[in-house]
Amino acid sequence: MRAFMDESFLLNSETAVALYGFCKDLPIIDYHCHLIPQEIAENKRFENITDLALRGDHYKWRLMRANGVEERFITGNASDEEKFEQWCYTIEDCIGNPVYHWAHLEMQRYFGYDKPIAGENAKDIFEHCNRIIARDDFSVWNIFRNYKVAQVGTTDDPADTLEWHKKIAASGEVGLPKVQPTFRPSTLLDVGSPNFKAYLEKMGKQSGHNITDWSSLLVSVAARIAFFKEMGCVSSDHAFDYPVFEEKGDEREIFARALKGESLSEQEVNRYKTAMMLWLGEQYAAKGWIMQLHIGAQRNNNSRMFGILGADTGYDSMSDLPFSLQLARFLDELDKKNMLPKTVLYALNPAFDDMLSVMIGNFQGGDVPGKMQWGSAWWFNDSKLGMERHLVTLANGGMLARFIGMLTDSRSFMSYPRHEYFRRILAQVVARWVDNGEFPNDMGKLKKLMEGIAYYNAKEYFGV
């Protein structure tokens, strides 16, 4: 019987151990996350383990709700110690859930606590972790240093001042990652929102160009793209929950009506989105940016809890709406003009895995190896099984060797062990092929493969 989460955790052969050894100590490129730039700039220190490990982590909140924990112990007014105790009682029974592994890796790597997490030990764990958190050397910057984080891609609205990114860049602190903003124009695309006009006024003020029609809208957005580029941005990100594609032609009239506050039909909304996405794609290509498309989230399903807590609180799930034709037409329209940027596609529903793994092959080419990427197993797929399935499916449909690897997609500074989790799973998947005689036991070639997927491919792709 194997020991609980020991040094050979998830590594079931000597080959797997050797392959993991090639990549385990490499730096981390965390090219997509939701960390708060202000907390990075201010080198945030944490009140306690609840502040660090539970605040804002809706993966963990969902499990607590599934375990019957009252909301006051999750997002409510219970004490931090009470919230952590309820978390410990929850996680002890989460057999087979990736968060069980993440939570224990967090305890082991951040705090040297290698016993199983259990409710009966909650007080001891709480006090043990808090003693370490209270030390002078426990802060965001030192977390980055300890995990050798080389790059962080935050998620930023086009109307953001990026003031905290400026402060990070000006800090002069040695050993910090390159913290780069990511252009996320979700609100700009939400033409049907009641807040749309107010948002345009805000963006016009930031860009220095009042938005009065379609032409001035494009001028304003272009100014923000130029500003983001000056601030080191190399990537955009879109919550492309359901890809749409409508023929262009009347986006000027549709936008003029939106500015007047008139209601738009679904088709008109989709025409606006199509026109804006195609224009943005061309801007990204011209700037040499990467376009990330996160597809298939069905958000805010629980309207009662959305009214209480708002978005991103654990009430999203997978959509099963098909989108292959719309996605292909969108990518093709950019490709016809030779204006398709480097693109990363993510899908939340694994039912679309096979389709995406071969969709990217339709638009590869040029002098960029792996120009089109099927991004890492995302959100609910970010599990042992999900990662294994993603790696195997990607290898079946294309070139795994060009894959840009793992990201955290997280709001928590506790998430870096997820890269270790991925690297262990990657080592085991590749080792299985080698041990079965399906790929040569050429350690020089395998070392290059492992290092590339774990670090160097993303480093080159994002220009870190």
Side-chain angles (χ1 to χ4, degrees):
M1 180 179 292
R2 297 279 293 272
F4 175 66
M5 293 186 65
D6 61 5
E7 283 298 312
S8 60
F9 174 55
L10 301 180
L11 307 173
N12 297 327
S13 72
E14 291 182 2
T15 305
V17 171
L19 296 183
Y20 177 60
F22 291 145
C23 64
K24 70 184 183 72
D25 294 324
L26 289 173
I28 287 172
I29 306 287
D30 196 22
Y31 52 86
H32 174 72
C33 72
H34 297 273
L35 296 178
I36 299 172
Q38 180 177 352
E39 294 181 347
I40 299 173
E42 294 178 341
N43 191 22
K44 177 181 168 78
R45 296 182 58 83
F46 302 91
E47 296 174 21
N48 51 46
I49 184 59
T50 305
D51 182 26
L52 175 60
L54 292 181
R55 195 154 289 146
D57 196 330
H58 52 74
Y59 287 89
K60 295 173 180 176
W61 294 353
R62 285 173 68 96
L63 288 174
M64 294 172 77
R65 291 174 186 135
N67 201 40
V69 175
E70 295 178 40
E71 193 65 30
R72 69 189 184 93
F73 294 108
I74 304 171
T75 60
N77 59 4
S79 71
D80 282 352
E81 185 168 0
E82 289 173 317
K83 290 178 178 179
F84 187 75
E85 179 184 37
Q86 290 298 316
W87 165 242
C88 290
Y89 275 114
T90 295
I91 198 63
E92 67 176 309
D93 290 327
C94 287
I95 187 170
N97 192 291
V99 182
Y100 184 85
H101 292 153
W102 297 350
H104 283 85
L105 286 173
E106 289 167 3
M107 286 295 125
Q108 290 177 7
R109 302 300 179 256
Y110 282 70
F111 303 106
Y113 186 89
D114 57 6
K115 300 174 184 175
I117 302 169
E120 64 183 10
N121 300 329
K123 184 175 179 62
D124 290 341
I125 301 171
F126 189 77
E127 293 176 352
H128 169 81
C129 294
N130 290 347
R131 283 195 294 271
I132 295 172
I133 288 171
R135 294 189 327 211
D136 291 341
D137 62 349
F138 197 98
S139 66
V140 163
W141 291 357
N142 281 329
I143 289 173
F144 285 151
R145 293 186 181 102
N146 291 341
Y147 274 90
K148 296 193 283 190
V149 182
Q151 185 263 5
V152 169
T154 60
T155 306
D156 308 275
D157 189 274
D160 197 301
T161 64
L162 301 185
E163 61 179 302
W164 298 108
H165 286 83
K166 294 176 184 176
K167 291 180 179 180
I168 295 167
S171 71
E173 190 70 20
V174 176
L176 294 190
K178 180 184 287 187
V179 181
Q180 297 175 291
T182 300
F183 191 79
R184 170 93 169 211
S186 297
T187 311
L188 174 65
L189 288 157
D190 195 9
V191 69
S193 166
N195 300 319
F196 184 66
K197 189 173 180 180
Y199 174 75
L200 293 180
E201 291 174 358
K202 178 182 178 182
M203 192 171 67
K205 187 176 295 185
Q206 289 295 342
S207 69
H209 300 276
N210 290 334
I211 299 172
T212 57
D213 56 18
W214 177 258
S215 296
S216 58
L217 170 67
L218 300 188
V219 170
S220 179
V221 178
R224 298 309 293 165
I225 290 173
F227 172 65
F228 268 63
K229 185 173 177 62
E230 289 175 10
M231 292 298 298
C233 179
V234 297
S235 180
S236 70
D237 180 65
H238 295 266
F240 219 37
D241 293 345
Y242 178 70
V244 297
F245 189 90
E246 293 281 349
E247 296 299 331
K248 294 174 61 179
D250 56 356
E251 59 271 8
R252 292 177 180 273
E253 292 79 6
I254 292 170
F255 183 66
R257 289 178 54 208
L259 282 179
K260 294 176 183 176
E262 296 181 16
S263 61
L264 303 176
S265 69
E266 182 179 354
Q267 185 180 52
E268 288 171 328
V269 168
N270 289 343
R271 281 182 176 170
Y272 168 84
K273 288 181 177 179
T274 301
M276 179 54 68
M277 282 297 302
L278 289 172
W279 182 83
L280 285 169
E282 293 180 14
Q283 308 312 303
Y284 303 153
K287 291 285 190 292
W289 282 9
I290 295 145
M291 178 170 65
Q292 298 180 85
L293 306 178
H294 284 84
I295 304 169
Q298 186 170 295
R299 301 179 190 272
N300 307 319
N301 295 276
N302 189 321
S303 57
R304 178 178 60 84
M305 293 306 295
F306 175 72
I308 296 171
L309 299 177
D312 301 319
T313 53
Y315 296 97
D316 304 329
S317 59
M318 301 175 187
S319 167
D320 63 356
L321 293 174
F323 58 85
S324 65
L325 181 59
Q326 296 93 321
L327 177 62
R329 292 182 69 190
F330 169 68
L331 297 174
D332 186 56
E333 191 68 20
L334 290 170
D335 187 70
K336 282 191 294 188
K337 298 180 179 179
N338 199 27
M339 294 298 285
L340 178 62
K342 290 193 292 187
T343 300
V344 188
L345 305 176
Y346 310 82
L348 189 50
N349 191 332
F352 302 114
D353 283 1
D354 289 324
M355 180 272 289
L356 277 186
S357 73
V358 295
M359 175 67 78
I360 60 174
N362 297 328
F363 300 100
Q364 301 284 20
D367 58 355
V368 181
K371 172 183 176 178
M372 302 295 294
Q373 291 279 332
W374 175 28
S376 64
W378 174 43
W379 203 338
F380 298 113
N381 302 314
D382 198 6
S383 63
K384 178 175 177 287
L385 177 61
M387 290 184 200
E388 289 174 347
R389 183 173 55 216
H390 176 272
L391 292 167
V392 171
T393 304
L394 179 56
N396 287 175
M399 284 199 69
L400 177 62
R402 296 300 185 188
F403 179 41
I404 56 173
M406 183 60 174
L407 49 80
T408 63
D409 191 27
S410 176
R411 292 167 173 77
S412 171
F413 292 97
M414 278 280 273
S415 295
Y416 292 113
R418 296 185 195 178
H419 282 263
E420 175 185 341
Y421 195 53
F422 168 79
R423 291 173 181 182
R424 287 177 179 272
I425 291 167
L426 171 67
Q428 179 56 39
V429 168
V430 174
R432 192 160 56 234
W433 289 322
V434 175
D435 291 339
N436 287 343
E438 299 174 44
F439 194 84
N441 189 6
D442 180 339
M443 283 298 167
K445 185 175 288 292
L446 291 167
K447 181 175 186 290
K448 183 178 180 181
L449 175 80
M450 296 296 297
E451 290 179 340
I453 297 171
Y455 173 65
Y456 287 105
N457 292 350
K459 176 180 171 63
E460 181 176 354
Y461 196 78
F462 287 88
V464 178

